[in-house]
Amino acid sequence: MTRGRSWWRTIAVTLGAIVFLFPFYYMIVGSLQATPDTSPAGALPRPGNLSLDNYREINAAIGLWRSLLNSVIVTAGVVIGTLVFGVLAGYALAQLRFRGRGTLFAAMLLLQVIPFQLLVIPLYVQVVRGYGLADSYLGMILPFVINSVAVFVFRQFFLQLPAELFEAARLDGASEIRVLCSVALPLVRPALLTATLLTFIGPWNEFLWPFLITKETGMQPLAVALANYMSTVASAATNPYGAILAGACVLAAPAVLLFIAFQRHFVSSDLGSGVKG
């Protein structure tokens, strides 16, 4: 009976994986078709209909690699800023004792319920008109540098660390920065990886804010460049369907590869290994 349940569970998981992966497979196949085929038969394309012309076309239309580089720069800036501020704020909220700590944490949680769209106008006025950061990487990065979700993730991980580690380090005369860098950070690697992945997906796929503050095509991230291509150039393209899917493949690939590379680290955390006896 147990073996029968195991087989049914394996079959159900396999079918679920196929259903989940099919859109990605169809996107890749569509990006390689020289002549588009949107019928169900298009899922099994003819070998003679496969080429890289769609990638060449989308590259010539929007400057694919330049747009990709813009996305990498913006996303890297957001991830680095999020990790630095997230670690500092999460450590302070978890390990330091100061008046109003609970109120500050509650206020941070309440900020998560405010949609970003409500903040777009004041942010635009401040960043573009106040700071003059239109058509710049810093202007695209600045609103996303502090991420309350990352602060929450780091706080929860820091709370799980054994208190004996911090007490021993402080008794040895270590400053709080030294305790954070030498004791806490090595033990919260899963939190660093989780925050990196969660942060990466947001700015990598972000459309609204870069679209508002970038007018120069050479500064636009890939998501914005693809949207402009769909609204202006795609109608005159030889194979707009395939070109759009080619751009979507390039946009999706880094996030998928990042998750595949680091997924095993998200489920393991040996927080108690630093305490002996």
Side-chain angles (χ1 to χ4, degrees):
M1 187 68 177
T2 303
R3 180 175 297 180
R5 289 181 179 177
S6 178
W7 275 107
W8 280 111
R9 188 175 302 168
T10 302
I11 292 173
V13 171
T14 302
L15 291 176
I18 292 174
V19 171
F20 176 77
L21 292 174
F22 182 77
F24 294 95
Y25 164 79
Y26 197 82
M27 179 175 65
I28 295 172
V29 168
S31 71
L32 295 173
Q33 290 180 342
T35 302
D37 185 358
T38 57
S39 66
L44 298 173
R46 303 184 310 275
N49 193 35
L50 299 179
S51 72
L52 296 175
D53 291 342
N54 293 321
Y55 290 89
R56 298 188 187 98
E57 183 172 344
I58 193 67
N59 182 42
I62 67 173
L64 184 61
W65 303 116
R66 176 63 186 180
S67 300
L68 185 63
L69 177 62
N70 292 338
S71 293
V72 170
I73 294 174
V74 172
T75 303
V78 173
V79 169
I80 293 173
T82 296
L83 293 181
V84 171
F85 288 107
V87 165
L88 294 175
Y91 179 81
L93 290 172
Q95 297 297 332
L96 302 184
R97 299 291 183 267
F98 56 90
R99 181 175 298 179
R101 185 181 68 163
T103 303
L104 180 61
F105 179 65
M108 185 202 71
L109 292 180
L110 288 176
L111 288 177
Q112 297 185 37
V113 305
I114 302 177
F116 177 74
Q117 289 77 6
L118 293 180
L119 304 176
V120 165
I121 294 177
L123 278 174
Y124 182 88
V125 173
Q126 184 176 14
V127 173
V128 176
R129 297 185 180 179
Y131 300 154
L133 295 178
D135 287 312
S136 68
Y137 293 123
L138 184 58
M140 288 185 277
I141 293 171
L142 196 59
F144 304 101
V145 165
I146 300 178
N147 189 322
S148 59
V149 175
V151 175
F152 176 80
V153 169
F154 284 117
R155 175 185 179 274
Q156 296 307 111
F157 268 83
F158 284 131
L159 285 175
Q160 297 177 42
L161 295 176
E164 294 86 347
L165 294 176
F166 300 97
E167 294 172 0
R170 293 183 182 112
L171 287 176
D172 289 339
S175 64
E176 289 298 334
I177 294 296
R178 181 66 182 273
V179 173
L180 171 62
C181 297
S182 301
V183 178
L185 280 183
L187 296 176
V188 293
R189 187 175 62 174
L192 292 171
L193 295 173
T194 301
T196 298
L197 182 62
L198 293 176
T199 306
F200 177 90
I201 294 174
W204 184 260
N205 295 323
E206 179 63 29
F207 167 76
L208 178 60
W209 180 251
F211 175 75
L212 289 176
I213 71 168
T214 56
K215 303 304 180 184
E216 298 180 8
T217 56
M219 288 296 300
Q220 292 177 342
L222 183 54
V224 178
L226 282 177
N228 288 336
Y229 173 82
M230 293 171 62
S231 61
T232 58
V233 185
S235 59
T238 305
N239 184 3
Y241 175 78
I244 292 171
L245 288 180
C249 286
V250 176
L251 182 63
V256 174
L257 293 176
L258 184 68
F259 178 79
I260 293 174
F262 295 108
Q263 62 174 335
R264 65 186 181 89
H265 296 285
F266 300 145
V267 294
S268 62
S269 176
D270 189 10
L271 298 179
S273 60
V275 182
K276 297 182 179 180

